[in-house]
Amino acid sequence: MSPRVRLVLFLLGAAGFLTTGVLAVLGAPPVGTDVHPYRDAAVAGALAHATANVVSTVNYDQRALDTLGEETILLASVTAAVALLRPADDERVDVPPPDVVRSRSPATRLAGWLLLPATLLVGLDVVLHGHLTPGGGFQGGVVLATAVHLLYLAGSFAALERLRPRRWAPVAEPVGALGFVGLGVAGSVAGVGFLGGVLPFGTLGDPLSSPTVILLNVAVGIGVGFGLVVLVAQFLRQEVLVR
Amino acid sequence: MTTLLTVVAFGTAFWLVVVGAYGILRSDDLVHAVVSLSVAQSGTYILLLAVGYQRDATIPILGAGGAGSTPIVDPVVQAMTLTDVVVSATVTALLLALTVQIAKRHGTVDPDALRELRG
């Protein structure tokens, strides 16, 4: 297809998209009004199940099935990316280079080692308080995976290879997804429906309120954290070791 | 004021989708195409958050900032945006892994130079 034909096709598509978009906006309530029927329904559900963070109650209680789908997409694309980044038959994998710690400036190393435990703590906090404050398994999992990779910035690739749970991280990621399904099945067995809350909801704002949301957040945090570790590990190995 | 907000919010959302698609169209580098896709997807974040916005409303956390009397913004579209961000990030990772393989197998990441079929 010549660039000119491509451009004409794009312009036609863009014009159609923008026309339908403008028509849709003209028929929709303007931004900022107080008409939010889904909000009202979600808040009623959050209050009934004592979950302070209404976004979490949507993700892990009212529409937890959707989050299971999202977790599966994550698992599938991490698996696919890892399969794509395997060394091919005609490539060889170098031994990890010796510690090049001295090539990092002392200030970078100090900052990294100080930030490593702090970032791990923040990640755990974000995962475990996802039912009360903004956060949850997805966000906290990303923070946790970032913490592990401070080892690479502050230490060396060799340090990361040694300490990173590379052997069992690929196993731990599906364990997160399995935990999610397991909690769902527990709901079915208890008779409250797939992914229904089995445990008592508690009181709103209490650290241990809505325990099912906490457990699902932990399952997602495990899946996302280890999934990201595996993914970044594969990209890094490709860059550093595969020739 | 409300009209201005509507025009700016939805206009930005649609503009990001169109400009991202245009970036993919004019791309001569697959990494550039993947980033353009992310730009197009971020239009959907703006659209969702604009739909859920309410003037003078607070965050969708019950019991914080005296929610109860104060209205909160729509949490449902925020949850959808979160899903959107996660899926976008994983798709980006997958596409970049594909790009790495294409660069190794074909020696180029220019989509226009990738004309031949192999195998």
Side-chain angles (χ1 to χ4, degrees), chain A residues 67-86:
Chain A
T67 305
L68 178 59
E70 184 185 358
E71 173 80 12
T72 314
I73 292 174
L74 181 88
L75 183 62
S77 50
V78 169
T79 310
V82 168
L84 278 170
L85 292 172
R86 274 178 316 178

Side-chain angles (χ1 to χ4, degrees), chain A residues 6-7 10 17-18 21 25 30-34 36 38-39 42-43 46-47 51-55 58-59 70 74 77 80-81 84-85 88 90-91 132 134 138-139 231 235 238, chain B residues 2 5-6 9-10 14 17-18 21-22 25 50-55 60-62 71-76 78-79 82-83 86-87 90 93-94 96-98 100-101 104-105 112:
Chain A
R6 220 189 288 177
L7 187 65
F10 169 79
F17 172 76
L18 289 176
V25 169
V31 172
T33 56
D34 55 358
H36 291 291
Y38 290 118
R39 185 262 320 267
V43 168
L47 284 172
T51 313
N53 181 351
V54 192
V55 178
V58 171
N59 270 332
E70 184 185 358
L74 181 88
S77 50
L84 278 170
L85 292 172
D90 55 350
E91 291 172 331
L132 295 178
F138 286 104
Q139 300 92 320
L231 199 63
F235 274 105
Q238 187 68 233
Chain B
T2 308
L5 190 63
T6 306
F10 288 132
F14 292 143
V17 172
V18 171
Y22 185 71
L25 173 90
V51 165
Y53 177 70
Q54 177 175 341
R55 199 168 283 280
I61 306 283
L62 301 176
I72 61 170
V73 294
D74 192 340
V76 178
Q78 292 202 356
L82 172 61
T83 309
V86 172
V87 172
T90 56
L94 184 57
L96 288 176
L98 270 172
V100 168
Q101 278 300 339
K104 280 201 288 194
R105 297 291 138 200
D112 287 322

Side-chain angles (χ1 to χ4, degrees), chain A residues 127-156:
Chain A
V127 171
L128 291 175
H129 292 119
H131 59 305
L132 295 178
T133 49
F138 286 104
Q139 300 92 320
V142 173
V143 176
L144 287 172
T146 309
V148 175
H149 289 96
L150 283 171
L151 270 177
Y152 174 61
L153 292 181
S156 66

Side-chain angles (χ1 to χ4, degrees), chain A residues 172-188:
Chain A
E173 192 215 356
V175 164
L178 266 180
F180 204 105
V181 175
L183 284 161
V185 172
S188 298

